[in-house]
Amino acid sequence: MDASASPAAAPDPVPVPGPGLPPAPAPAASRIRRLAAPAGVMAAVVGAFGYVAAVDPNEPGHYPVCPMLRFTGVFCPGCGGLRSAHAFAHGDLAAALGANALAVVGYAVLAVVWLLWTLRASRGRTLRIGLAPGYWWGIGAVLLVFSVVRNLPFGSALAP
């Protein structure tokens, strides 16, 4: 009887990837686990857009009023965001841009970030978004300018 055929024989060692070997393919279970977070986030976004699509924010009483608009009469950068999401969910891009153009840009940016996250997760890599402080200041400046312009007479096209 051959020693390799006995039940007590050790299994063949699995080759460990090294400098000259390609990485071992990832098991399917780990790929599913890696894609669980992006899939969960997409499910939540689809659920939120589905709710806003079903419950019209143009009808009063369904959603709370923006506190800044209510108490100061000034449109914040988010004012019109729900109406924009409702129009976007119904495929009316012109109405979505009219309600809150910055929100529509945000939808596109978040879609690209989600896609990159999903692609990197499927390959076993993490997505790190490390923006320098200058970028954060720039985003804040865009939000501030958008808020100021939409409240001025010449920027009334940006008002919800």
Side-chain angles (χ1 to χ4, degrees), residues 98-127:
N100 191 326
L102 201 56
V104 176
V105 171
Y107 306 151
V109 169
L110 291 177
V112 168
V113 169
W114 180 84
L115 185 63
L116 289 173
W117 180 26
T118 303
L119 289 173
R120 291 186 64 85
S122 72
R123 295 177 181 152
R125 299 181 195 165
T126 59
L127 177 64

Side-chain angles (χ1 to χ4, degrees), residues 14-140:
V14 176
V16 177
L21 295 174
S30 66
R31 176 168 284 159
I32 291 170
R33 196 172 304 126
R34 288 191 312 257
L35 291 174
V41 167
M42 180 52 72
V45 168
V46 167
F49 267 85
Y51 180 79
V52 172
V55 181
D56 191 357
N58 294 306
E59 296 177 14
H62 292 293
Y63 298 98
V65 178
C66 173
M68 187 167 183
L69 180 61
R70 179 180 209 145
F71 296 121
T72 66
V74 174
F75 296 120
C76 75
C79 280
L82 285 174
R83 288 183 295 258
S84 174
H86 178 77
F88 191 81
H90 285 276
D92 189 356
L93 189 58
L97 286 167
N100 191 326
L102 201 56
V104 176
V105 171
Y107 306 151
V109 169
L110 291 177
V112 168
V113 169
W114 180 84
L115 185 63
L116 289 173
W117 180 26
T118 303
L119 289 173
R120 291 186 64 85
S122 72
R123 295 177 181 152
R125 299 181 195 165
T126 59
L127 177 64
R128 300 207 187 273
I129 301 175
L131 295 177
Y135 288 107
W136 291 112
W137 282 103
I139 292 168

Side-chain angles (χ1 to χ4, degrees), residues 1-10:
M1 182 165 181
D2 190 335
S4 64
S6 71

